[in-house]
Coordinates of all heavy atoms in Angstrom, one line a residue:
M30 N 112.6 221.6 144.7 CA 113.8 220.8 144.5 C 114.3 221.2 143.0 O 113.5 221.3 142.1 CB 113.4 219.5 144.6 CG 114.5 218.5 144.0 SD 113.7 216.8 144.2 CE 115.1 215.8 144.3
S31 N 115.5 221.6 142.9 CA 116.0 222.0 141.6 C 116.5 220.7 140.9 O 116.9 219.7 141.4 CB 117.1 223.1 141.7 OG 118.3 222.4 142.5
P32 N 116.5 220.8 139.6 CA 116.9 219.7 138.8 C 118.5 219.4 139.0 O 119.2 220.4 139.2 CB 116.5 220.0 137.3 CG 116.5 221.5 137.3 CD 116.1 221.9 138.8
T33 N 118.9 218.2 138.8 CA 120.2 217.8 138.9 C 120.9 218.4 137.7 O 120.4 218.1 136.5 CB 120.4 216.4 138.9 OG1 119.8 215.8 140.1 CG2 121.9 216.0 138.9
P34 N 121.9 219.2 137.7 CA 122.6 219.7 136.6 C 123.3 218.6 135.8 O 123.7 217.6 136.4 CB 123.7 220.6 137.0 CG 123.9 220.2 138.5 CD 122.6 219.6 138.9
V35 N 123.3 218.8 134.6 CA 124.0 217.8 133.6 C 125.2 218.3 133.0 O 125.4 219.6 132.7 CB 123.1 217.4 132.4 CG1 123.7 216.4 131.4 CG2 121.8 216.8 133.0
H36 N 126.3 217.6 132.9 CA 127.6 218.0 132.3 C 127.7 217.3 131.0 O 127.6 216.1 131.0 CB 128.7 217.6 133.3 CG 128.5 218.1 134.7 ND1 128.5 219.4 135.1 CD2 128.2 217.4 135.8 CE1 128.3 219.6 136.4 NE2 128.1 218.4 136.9
F37 N 127.9 218.1 130.0 CA 128.1 217.5 128.6 C 129.5 217.5 128.2 O 130.2 218.5 128.4 CB 127.4 218.5 127.6 CG 125.9 218.4 127.6 CD1 125.1 219.0 128.5 CD2 125.2 217.6 126.6 CE1 123.7 218.8 128.5 CE2 123.9 217.5 126.6 CZ 123.1 218.2 127.5
Y38 N 130.0 216.3 127.6 CA 131.3 216.2 127.2 C 131.1 215.7 125.7 O 130.6 214.6 125.6 CB 132.1 215.2 128.1 CG 132.2 215.7 129.4 CD1 131.3 215.4 130.3 CD2 133.2 216.6 129.8 CE1 131.4 215.8 131.7 CE2 133.4 217.0 131.1 CZ 132.4 216.7 132.1 OH 132.5 217.1 133.3
I39 N 131.4 216.5 124.8 CA 131.3 216.1 123.3 C 132.6 216.1 122.7 O 133.4 217.0 122.7 CB 130.3 217.2 122.8 CG1 129.1 217.3 123.5 CG2 130.1 216.9 121.2 CD1 128.3 218.6 123.2
Y40 N 133.0 215.0 122.0 CA 134.3 214.8 121.5 C 134.1 214.3 120.0 O 133.2 213.7 119.6 CB 135.2 214.0 122.3 CG 134.6 212.5 122.5 CD1 135.0 211.5 121.8 CD2 133.7 212.3 123.5 CE1 134.5 210.2 121.9 CE2 133.2 211.1 123.7 CZ 133.6 210.0 123.0 OH 133.1 208.7 123.2
Y41 N 135.2 214.5 119.2 CA 135.3 214.3 117.8 C 136.5 214.7 117.2 O 137.4 215.3 117.8 CB 134.1 215.1 117.1 CG 134.1 216.5 117.5 CD1 134.9 217.5 116.9 CD2 133.3 217.0 118.5 CE1 135.0 218.9 117.4 CE2 133.3 218.3 118.9 CZ 134.1 219.2 118.4 OH 134.2 220.5 118.9
R42 N 136.8 214.2 115.9 CA 137.9 214.5 115.3 C 137.7 215.7 114.2 O 136.6 215.5 113.5 CB 138.6 213.3 114.6 CG 139.1 212.4 115.6 CD 140.0 211.2 115.0 NE 140.5 210.4 116.0 CZ 141.6 210.8 116.9 NH1 142.1 211.9 116.6 NH2 142.0 209.9 117.7
I43 N 138.6 216.6 114.1 CA 138.5 217.7 113.1 C 139.6 217.5 112.0 O 140.7 217.2 112.5 CB 138.5 219.1 113.8 CG1 137.4 219.4 114.6 CG2 138.9 220.2 112.8 CD1 136.1 219.8 113.8
V44 N 139.2 217.8 110.8 CA 140.2 218.0 109.8 C 141.1 219.1 110.0 O 140.6 220.3 110.3 CB 139.6 218.0 108.3 CG1 140.7 218.3 107.3 CG2 138.8 216.7 108.2
D45 N 142.5 219.0 110.1 CA 143.4 220.0 110.6 C 143.1 221.2 109.6 O 143.2 222.4 110.1 CB 144.9 219.6 110.4 CG 145.7 220.6 110.9 OD1 145.5 221.1 112.1 OD2 146.8 221.1 110.2
A46 N 142.9 221.2 108.3 CA 142.8 222.2 107.3 C 141.5 223.1 107.6 O 141.5 224.2 107.2 CB 142.8 221.6 105.9
H47 N 140.6 222.5 108.4 CA 139.3 223.2 108.7 C 139.3 223.6 110.2 O 138.3 224.1 110.7 CB 138.1 222.4 108.4 CG 138.1 222.0 107.0 ND1 137.8 223.0 106.0 CD2 138.2 220.8 106.3 CE1 137.9 222.4 104.9 NE2 138.0 221.2 105.0
A48 N 140.4 223.5 110.9 CA 140.4 223.8 112.4 C 140.1 225.2 112.7 O 139.2 225.5 113.6 CB 141.7 223.5 113.0
A49 N 140.6 226.1 111.9 CA 140.2 227.6 112.1 C 138.8 227.9 112.0 O 138.1 228.6 112.8 CB 141.2 228.4 111.3
D50 N 138.2 227.4 110.8 CA 136.7 227.5 110.6 C 135.9 227.1 111.7 O 135.0 227.6 112.1 CB 136.4 227.0 109.2 CG 137.0 227.8 108.0 OD1 137.3 229.1 108.3 OD2 137.3 227.2 107.0
A51 N 136.3 225.8 112.0 CA 135.6 225.1 113.2 C 135.6 225.8 114.5 O 134.7 226.0 115.2 CB 136.1 223.6 113.3
R52 N 136.8 226.3 114.8 CA 136.9 227.0 116.0 C 136.1 228.4 116.0 O 135.5 228.7 117.0 CB 138.5 227.4 116.4 CG 138.7 228.0 117.6 CD 140.1 228.0 117.9 NE 140.3 228.4 119.3 CZ 141.4 228.3 120.0 NH1 142.4 227.8 119.5 NH2 141.5 228.8 121.2
T53 N 136.2 229.0 114.9 CA 135.3 230.2 114.7 C 133.9 230.0 114.9 O 133.1 230.7 115.6 CB 135.6 230.9 113.4 OG1 137.0 231.3 113.3 CG2 134.8 232.2 113.2
A54 N 133.5 228.8 114.3 CA 132.0 228.5 114.3 C 131.5 228.2 115.8 O 130.6 228.7 116.3 CB 131.7 227.4 113.4
L55 N 132.5 227.4 116.4 CA 132.3 227.0 117.9 C 132.3 228.2 118.8 O 131.4 228.3 119.7 CB 133.3 226.0 118.3 CG 133.0 224.5 117.9 CD1 134.1 223.7 118.4 CD2 131.7 224.0 118.4
T56 N 133.1 229.1 118.5 CA 133.1 230.4 119.4 C 131.7 231.1 119.4 O 131.2 231.4 120.3 CB 134.2 231.4 118.9 OG1 135.4 230.7 119.1 CG2 134.2 232.6 119.7
G57 N 131.1 231.2 118.1 CA 129.8 231.8 117.9 C 128.7 230.9 118.6 O 127.8 231.5 119.3
V58 N 128.8 229.6 118.5 CA 127.9 228.7 119.1 C 127.9 228.8 120.6 O 126.9 229.0 121.3 CB 128.1 227.3 118.6 CG1 127.3 226.3 119.4 CG2 127.7 227.1 117.2
M59 N 129.2 228.8 121.1 CA 129.3 228.8 122.7 C 128.8 230.2 123.2 O 128.2 230.3 124.2 CB 130.8 228.6 123.0 CG 131.1 227.1 122.8 SD 132.9 226.9 123.3 CE 132.9 225.1 123.2
D60 N 129.0 231.3 122.3 CA 128.6 232.7 122.8 C 127.0 232.7 122.8 O 126.6 233.2 123.9 CB 129.1 233.8 121.9 CG 130.6 234.0 122.1 OD1 131.2 233.5 123.1 OD2 131.2 234.7 121.1
A61 N 126.4 232.1 121.9 CA 125.0 232.1 121.8 C 124.5 231.3 122.9 O 123.4 231.6 123.6 CB 124.6 231.5 120.5
L62 N 125.0 230.0 123.3 CA 124.6 229.2 124.3 C 124.7 229.9 125.7 O 123.9 229.8 126.7 CB 125.2 227.9 124.2 CG 125.0 226.9 123.2 CD1 125.9 225.8 123.1 CD2 123.6 226.5 123.2
A63 N 125.8 230.6 125.8 CA 126.1 231.4 127.1 C 125.0 232.5 127.3 O 124.6 232.6 128.5 CB 127.5 232.1 127.1
K64 N 124.7 233.1 126.3 CA 123.6 234.1 126.4 C 122.3 233.6 126.7 O 121.5 234.0 127.6 CB 123.6 234.9 125.2 CG 124.7 235.9 125.0 CD 124.6 236.6 123.7 CE 125.9 237.5 123.3 NZ 126.1 237.8 122.1
K65 N 121.9 232.5 126.1 CA 120.6 231.8 126.3 C 120.4 231.0 127.6 O 119.4 231.0 128.3 CB 120.3 231.0 125.1 CG 118.9 230.5 125.1 CD 118.5 229.8 123.8 CE 117.1 229.5 123.9 NZ 116.4 229.2 122.5
F66 N 121.6 230.4 128.0 CA 121.5 229.4 129.0 C 122.4 229.7 130.3 O 122.4 228.9 131.2 CB 121.7 227.9 128.6 CG 120.8 227.4 127.6 CD1 121.0 227.5 126.2 CD2 119.5 227.0 128.1 CE1 120.1 227.0 125.3 CE2 118.7 226.4 127.1 CZ 118.9 226.5 125.8
A67 N 123.2 230.7 130.2 CA 124.1 231.0 131.2 C 125.1 229.9 131.4 O 125.5 229.6 132.7 CB 123.4 231.5 132.5
V68 N 125.5 229.2 130.4 CA 126.5 228.1 130.5 C 127.7 228.5 129.6 O 127.5 228.6 128.4 CB 125.9 226.8 130.1 CG1 126.9 225.7 129.9 CG2 124.7 226.4 130.8
T69 N 128.8 228.5 130.3 CA 130.0 228.8 129.5 C 130.7 227.5 129.1 O 131.1 226.7 129.9 CB 131.0 229.5 130.4 OG1 130.4 230.8 130.9 CG2 132.3 230.0 129.7
G70 N 130.8 227.3 127.7 CA 131.5 226.2 127.2 C 132.9 226.4 127.1 O 133.5 227.5 127.2
R71 N 133.7 225.2 127.2 CA 135.2 225.1 127.0 C 135.4 224.3 125.8 O 134.8 223.3 125.6 CB 135.8 224.6 128.2 CG 135.6 225.6 129.4 CD 136.4 225.1 130.7 NE 135.7 224.0 131.2 CZ 136.3 222.9 131.6 NH1 137.6 222.8 131.6 NH2 135.6 221.8 132.1
L72 N 136.5 224.7 125.1 CA 136.9 223.9 124.0 C 138.4 223.4 124.3 O 139.3 224.0 124.7 CB 137.0 224.6 122.6 CG 137.4 223.9 121.4 CD1 136.6 222.7 121.2 CD2 137.5 224.8 120.3
L73 N 138.5 222.1 124.3 CA 139.8 221.4 124.5 C 140.3 220.6 123.4 O 139.5 220.2 122.6 CB 139.7 220.5 125.8 CG 139.0 221.1 127.0 CD1 138.7 220.0 128.1 CD2 139.9 222.1 127.7
F74 N 141.5 220.3 123.4 CA 142.0 219.2 122.4 C 143.0 218.3 123.2 O 143.6 218.6 124.2 CB 142.7 219.9 121.2 CG 143.8 220.7 121.4 CD1 145.1 220.0 121.3 CD2 143.9 222.0 121.8 CE1 146.3 220.8 121.5 CE2 144.9 222.7 122.0 CZ 146.3 222.1 121.9
A75 N 143.0 217.1 122.7 CA 143.8 216.1 123.3 C 145.3 216.5 123.3 O 145.8 217.0 122.3 CB 143.8 214.7 122.5
Q76 N 146.0 216.3 124.3 CA 147.4 216.6 124.6 C 148.2 216.1 123.5 O 149.3 216.7 123.0 CB 147.9 216.1 125.9 CG 149.3 216.5 126.2 CD 149.7 216.1 127.6 OE1 149.2 215.2 128.1 NE2 150.9 216.5 128.1
N77 N 148.1 214.9 123.0 CA 148.9 214.2 122.0 C 148.3 214.1 120.7 O 148.8 213.3 119.9 CB 149.5 212.9 122.6 CG 150.3 213.1 123.8 OD1 151.1 214.0 124.0 ND2 150.1 212.2 124.8
D78 N 147.1 214.8 120.5 CA 146.4 214.6 119.2 C 145.5 215.7 119.0 O 144.4 215.9 119.5 CB 145.6 213.3 119.3 CG 144.8 213.0 118.1 OD1 144.9 213.8 117.1 OD2 144.1 212.1 118.0
G79 N 146.1 216.8 118.3 CA 145.5 218.1 118.1 C 144.2 218.0 117.3 O 143.4 218.9 117.3
A80 N 144.0 216.8 116.6 CA 142.7 216.7 115.8 C 141.6 216.1 116.6 O 140.4 216.3 116.3 CB 143.0 215.7 114.7
L81 N 141.8 215.7 117.8 CA 140.8 215.3 118.8 C 140.4 216.4 119.7 O 141.0 216.9 120.4 CB 141.2 214.0 119.6 CG 140.1 213.4 120.6 CD1 139.0 213.0 119.8 CD2 140.9 212.3 121.3
W82 N 139.1 216.9 119.4 CA 138.7 218.0 120.2 C 137.5 217.5 121.1 O 136.8 216.5 120.9 CB 138.0 219.1 119.2 CG 139.0 219.8 118.5 CD1 140.4 219.4 118.3 CD2 138.7 221.0 117.7 NE1 140.8 220.5 117.4 CE2 140.0 221.3 117.0 CE3 137.6 221.8 117.5 CZ2 140.1 222.4 116.3 CZ3 137.7 222.9 116.6 CH2 138.9 223.2 116.1
M83 N 137.3 218.4 122.2 CA 136.3 218.2 123.2 C 135.7 219.5 123.6 O 136.3 220.4 123.9 CB 136.7 217.5 124.4 CG 135.6 217.2 125.5 SD 136.1 216.4 127.1 CE 136.2 214.6 126.3
E84 N 134.3 219.5 123.5 CA 133.6 220.6 124.1 C 133.1 220.2 125.4 O 132.6 219.0 125.6 CB 132.3 221.0 123.2 CG 132.8 221.4 121.8 CD 131.5 221.4 120.9 OE1 130.4 221.9 121.3 OE2 131.6 220.8 119.8
V85 N 133.1 221.1 126.4 CA 132.7 220.8 127.8 C 131.6 222.0 128.1 O 132.0 223.1 128.2 CB 133.8 220.8 128.8 CG1 133.4 220.6 130.2 CG2 134.9 219.7 128.4
Y86 N 130.5 221.5 128.6 CA 129.4 222.3 129.0 C 128.9 221.8 130.4 O 128.4 220.7 130.5 CB 128.2 222.3 128.1 CG 128.6 222.8 126.7 CD1 128.8 221.8 125.6 CD2 128.8 224.1 126.4 CE1 129.1 222.1 124.4 CE2 129.0 224.4 125.0 CZ 129.3 223.5 124.0 OH 129.7 223.9 122.8
E87 N 129.2 222.5 131.5 CA 129.0 222.0 132.7 C 127.7 222.8 133.4 O 127.4 223.9 133.1 CB 130.2 222.2 133.7 CG 131.3 221.2 133.2 CD 132.6 221.4 134.0 OE1 133.0 222.4 134.1 OE2 133.1 220.3 134.3
N88 N 127.2 222.0 134.3 CA 126.0 222.6 135.1 C 124.8 223.1 134.3 O 124.3 224.2 134.5 CB 126.5 223.7 136.1 CG 127.5 223.2 137.1 OD1 127.3 222.1 137.7 ND2 128.7 223.8 137.2
V89 N 124.5 222.3 133.3 CA 123.3 222.7 132.5 C 122.1 222.3 133.1 O 121.9 221.0 133.4 CB 123.5 221.9 131.1 CG1 122.3 222.2 130.1 CG2 124.8 222.3 130.4
V90 N 121.2 223.2 133.5 CA 120.0 222.9 134.3 C 118.8 222.5 133.3 O 117.7 222.1 133.8 CB 119.7 223.9 135.2 CG1 120.7 224.0 136.3 CG2 119.4 225.2 134.5
E91 N 118.8 223.0 132.0 CA 117.8 222.6 131.0 C 118.4 221.8 129.9 O 118.5 222.2 128.8 CB 117.3 223.9 130.4 CG 116.6 224.7 131.4 CD 115.9 225.9 130.8 OE1 114.7 225.8 130.3 OE2 116.6 227.1 130.8
P92 N 118.8 220.6 130.2 CA 119.6 219.8 129.3 C 119.0 219.5 127.9 O 119.5 219.5 126.8 CB 120.0 218.4 130.0 CG 119.1 218.3 131.1 CD 118.7 219.7 131.3
V93 N 117.7 219.2 127.9 CA 117.0 218.9 126.6 C 117.0 220.2 125.8 O 117.3 220.1 124.6 CB 115.6 218.3 126.8 CG1 114.7 218.3 125.7 CG2 115.6 217.0 127.7
R94 N 116.6 221.2 126.3 CA 116.5 222.5 125.6 C 117.9 222.9 125.2 O 118.1 223.4 124.0 CB 115.8 223.7 126.4 CG 114.3 223.4 126.5 CD 113.7 224.7 127.2 NE 113.9 225.9 126.4 CZ 114.4 227.0 126.9 NH1 114.6 227.1 128.3 NH2 114.6 228.1 126.3
F95 N 118.8 222.8 126.1 CA 120.3 223.1 125.6 C 120.8 222.3 124.5 O 121.4 222.9 123.7 CB 121.2 222.9 126.9 CG 122.6 223.2 126.7 CD1 123.1 224.5 126.9 CD2 123.5 222.2 126.3 CE1 124.5 224.7 126.6 CE2 124.8 222.4 126.2 CZ 125.3 223.7 126.2
E96 N 120.5 221.1 124.6 CA 121.1 220.2 123.5 C 120.4 220.5 122.1 O 121.0 220.5 121.1 CB 121.0 218.7 123.8 CG 121.7 217.7 122.9 CD 121.8 216.3 123.6 OE1 121.3 216.0 124.5 OE2 122.7 215.6 122.9
A97 N 119.1 220.7 122.2 CA 118.5 221.1 121.0 C 118.9 222.4 120.5 O 119.2 222.5 119.3 CB 116.9 221.2 121.3
A98 N 119.2 223.4 121.3 CA 119.7 224.7 120.8 C 121.1 224.4 120.2 O 121.5 225.1 119.3 CB 119.8 225.7 121.9
L99 N 122.0 223.6 121.0 CA 123.3 223.4 120.4 C 123.3 222.8 119.1 O 123.9 223.2 118.2 CB 124.0 222.5 121.4 CG 125.4 221.9 121.0 CD1 126.4 223.0 120.7 CD2 125.9 220.9 121.9
N100 N 122.5 221.8 118.8 CA 122.3 221.1 117.5 C 121.8 222.1 116.4 O 122.2 222.0 115.3 CB 121.5 219.9 117.7 CG 122.1 218.7 118.5 OD1 123.3 218.7 118.5 ND2 121.3 218.0 119.1
T101 N 120.8 222.9 116.9 CA 120.2 223.8 115.8 C 121.4 224.8 115.5 O 121.6 225.2 114.3 CB 119.1 224.5 116.4 OG1 118.0 223.6 116.7 CG2 118.6 225.7 115.6
L102 N 122.1 225.3 116.4 CA 123.2 226.3 116.2 C 124.3 225.7 115.1 O 124.7 226.3 114.4 CB 123.8 226.9 117.4 CG 122.8 227.7 118.2 CD1 123.5 228.0 119.6 CD2 122.8 229.1 117.5
L103 N 124.7 224.5 115.6 CA 125.7 223.8 114.7 C 125.2 223.5 113.3 O 125.9 223.6 112.3 CB 126.1 222.5 115.4 CG 127.1 222.6 116.5 CD1 127.4 221.3 117.2 CD2 128.3 223.2 116.1
A104 N 123.8 223.2 113.1 CA 123.3 222.9 111.9 C 123.4 224.2 110.9 O 123.4 224.0 109.7 CB 121.8 222.5 111.9
R105 N 123.4 225.3 111.5 CA 123.5 226.5 110.8 C 125.0 226.8 110.3 O 125.2 227.8 109.5 CB 123.0 227.7 111.5 CG 121.6 227.7 111.9 CD 121.2 228.8 112.8 NE 119.8 228.7 113.2 CZ 119.2 229.3 114.3 NH1 119.9 230.2 115.0 NH2 117.9 229.2 114.5
T106 N 125.9 226.0 110.8 CA 127.3 226.2 110.2 C 127.5 225.0 109.4 O 126.7 224.2 109.2 CB 128.2 226.2 111.5 OG1 128.3 224.8 112.0 CG2 127.9 227.1 112.5
R107 N 128.8 224.9 108.9 CA 129.3 223.9 108.1 C 130.0 222.9 109.0 O 130.8 222.1 108.5 CB 130.3 224.4 106.9 CG 129.5 225.3 106.1 CD 130.4 225.7 104.8 NE 131.0 224.5 104.2 CZ 132.1 224.4 103.6 NH1 133.0 225.5 103.7 NH2 132.6 223.3 103.0
F108 N 129.7 222.9 110.2 CA 130.6 222.1 111.2 C 130.7 220.6 110.8 O 131.8 220.1 110.9 CB 129.9 222.3 112.6 CG 131.0 221.9 113.7 CD1 131.9 222.9 114.1 CD2 131.0 220.6 114.2 CE1 132.9 222.6 115.0 CE2 132.0 220.3 115.0 CZ 132.9 221.3 115.5
A109 N 129.7 220.0 110.4 CA 129.7 218.6 110.2 C 130.7 218.3 109.0 O 131.4 217.2 109.0 CB 128.3 218.0 109.8
S110 N 130.8 219.2 108.1 CA 131.7 219.0 106.9 C 133.2 219.1 107.4 O 134.0 218.7 106.5 CB 131.3 220.0 105.8 OG 131.7 221.3 106.2
W111 N 133.4 219.6 108.4 CA 134.9 219.8 109.1 C 135.3 218.6 109.8 O 136.4 218.6 110.3 CB 134.9 221.0 109.7 CG 134.5 222.3 108.9 CD1 134.9 222.6 107.6 CD2 133.8 223.5 109.4 NE1 134.4 223.8 107.2 CE2 133.7 224.3 108.3 CE3 133.4 223.9 110.7 CZ2 133.2 225.6 108.4 CZ3 132.8 225.1 110.8 CH2 132.7 226.0 109.6
L112 N 134.4 217.7 110.1 CA 134.9 216.6 110.9 C 135.7 215.6 110.0 O 135.6 215.6 108.8 CB 133.5 215.8 111.4 CG 132.7 216.4 112.3 CD1 131.5 215.5 112.6 CD2 133.4 216.8 113.7
A113 N 136.5 215.0 110.7 CA 137.4 214.0 109.9 C 136.6 212.9 109.3 O 135.5 212.6 109.7 CB 138.5 213.3 110.9
P114 N 137.1 212.4 108.3 CA 136.3 211.2 107.5 C 135.9 210.1 108.5 O 136.8 209.7 109.3 CB 137.2 210.8 106.5 CG 138.2 211.9 106.1 CD 138.3 212.6 107.4
G115 N 134.6 209.8 108.5 CA 134.2 208.8 109.4 C 133.9 209.2 110.8 O 133.4 208.4 111.7
A116 N 134.2 210.4 111.1 CA 134.1 210.9 112.5 C 132.6 211.5 112.8 O 132.0 211.9 111.9 CB 135.1 212.1 112.8
T117 N 132.3 211.4 113.9 CA 130.9 211.8 114.4 C 131.1 212.6 115.7 O 132.1 212.3 116.5 CB 129.8 210.8 114.5 OG1 130.2 209.8 115.5 CG2 129.5 210.1 113.2
R118 N 130.2 213.5 116.0 CA 130.2 214.1 117.4 C 129.6 213.2 118.4 O 128.4 212.8 118.1 CB 129.4 215.5 117.3 CG 130.0 216.5 116.5 CD 129.2 217.8 116.4 NE 128.6 218.2 117.7 CZ 129.2 219.2 118.4 NH1 130.5 219.6 118.2 NH2 128.7 219.6 119.5
R119 N 130.4 212.8 119.4 CA 130.0 211.9 120.4 C 129.6 212.7 121.7 O 130.5 213.3 122.1 CB 131.0 210.8 120.7 CG 131.4 210.2 119.5 CD 131.1 208.7 119.2 NE 130.8 208.1 120.5 CZ 130.5 206.8 120.6 NH1 130.6 206.0 119.5 NH2 130.2 206.2 121.7
T120 N 128.3 212.4 122.2 CA 128.0 213.4 123.4 C 127.8 212.3 124.5 O 127.1 211.3 124.4 CB 126.7 214.0 123.0 OG1 126.8 214.9 122.0 CG2 126.2 214.8 124.3
E121 N 128.5 212.6 125.6 CA 128.4 211.9 126.8 C 127.8 213.0 127.9 O 128.1 214.1 127.9 CB 129.8 211.4 127.3 CG 130.5 210.6 126.3 CD 129.8 209.2 126.1 OE1 129.0 208.8 127.0 OE2 130.2 208.5 125.2
R122 N 126.8 212.5 128.7 CA 126.2 213.3 129.6 C 126.4 212.8 131.0 O 126.2 211.5 131.1 CB 124.6 213.3 129.4 CG 124.3 214.1 128.1 CD 122.9 213.7 127.5 NE 122.8 213.8 126.2 CZ 123.1 213.0 125.2 NH1 123.6 211.8 125.5 NH2 122.9 213.3 123.9
F123 N 126.9 213.5 132.0 CA 127.1 213.1 133.3 C 126.5 213.9 134.3 O 126.2 215.0 134.1 CB 128.8 213.2 133.6 CG 129.6 212.2 132.8 CD1 129.9 212.3 131.4 CD2 130.1 211.1 133.4 CE1 130.6 211.5 130.7 CE2 130.8 210.1 132.8 CZ 131.1 210.3 131.4
V124 N 126.1 213.2 135.4 CA 125.5 213.9 136.6 C 126.3 213.5 137.9 O 126.9 212.5 137.8 CB 124.0 213.5 136.7 CG1 123.1 213.9 135.5 CG2 123.9 212.0 136.9
P125 N 126.2 214.3 138.9 CA 126.9 214.0 140.1 C 126.4 212.8 140.6 O 125.3 212.3 140.6 CB 126.7 215.1 140.9 CG 126.0 216.3 140.1 CD 125.5 215.7 138.9
L126 N 127.4 212.0 141.3 CA 127.0 210.8 142.1 C 126.4 211.3 143.3 O 126.8 212.2 144.0 CB 128.3 210.0 142.5 CG 129.0 209.2 141.3 CD1 130.3 208.7 141.8 CD2 128.0 208.1 141.0
E127 N 125.4 210.6 143.8 CA 124.7 210.9 145.0 C 125.6 210.4 146.2 O 126.2 209.4 146.2 CB 123.4 210.2 145.1 CG 122.3 210.6 144.0 CD 122.0 212.1 144.2 OE1 121.9 212.6 145.4 OE2 121.9 212.8 143.2
K128 N 125.7 211.2 147.2 CA 126.5 210.9 148.3 C 125.8 209.9 149.3 O 124.5 209.9 149.5 CB 126.9 212.1 149.1 CG 127.8 213.0 148.3 CD 128.3 214.2 149.1 CE 129.2 214.9 148.3 NZ 129.8 216.0 149.1

């Protein structure tokens, strides 16, 4: 029996002046995660609020290891300093509903 895949939805606000640096850092993080876990991340932003970003990682079969690697990779960047004042990265984890 294979484990149920987990879908990660991570959202936060970015300071506009740091958007380019944050995007570059995330590209590197997502590339590293794709190589290690075969999970392709997507970066989205809110239709009416360009400062509200969301990372989406779907079908993660090793969620604990994946999240630890994600946090380690982000810690190597200045990512936290590019968040809007008072903002934090909020992680939501979803799994498929059983039929």
Side-chain angles (χ1 to χ4, degrees):
M30 174 184 201
S31 63
T33 300
V35 176
H36 309 291
F37 285 78
Y38 300 91
I39 305 166
Y40 57 97
Y41 44 86
R42 291 191 176 284
I43 287 287
V44 173
D45 188 52
H47 299 296
D50 291 330
R52 188 171 185 163
T53 298
L55 279 175
T56 298
V58 167
M59 288 180 171
D60 288 348
L62 292 170
K64 288 176 186 167
K65 185 168 186 167
F66 295 97
V68 172
T69 302
R71 293 183 290 136
L72 180 61
L73 309 170
F74 64 93
Q76 182 180 13
N77 298 318
D78 182 356
L81 181 58
W82 289 15
M83 177 180 281
E84 296 164 47
V85 178
Y86 304 97
E87 296 178 307
N88 298 309
V89 178
V90 295
E91 296 180 85
V93 173
R94 287 187 58 230
F95 178 87
E96 192 166 10
L99 172 60
N100 291 334
T101 297
L102 290 165
L103 282 175
R105 293 178 185 160
T106 72
R107 298 184 55 213
F108 200 84
S110 70
W111 300 325
L112 296 176
T117 59
R118 289 173 53 87
R119 308 256 329 192
T120 301
E121 303 292 343
R122 296 159 199 85
F123 287 81
V124 294
L126 284 172
E127 296 297 322
K128 293 183 179 184

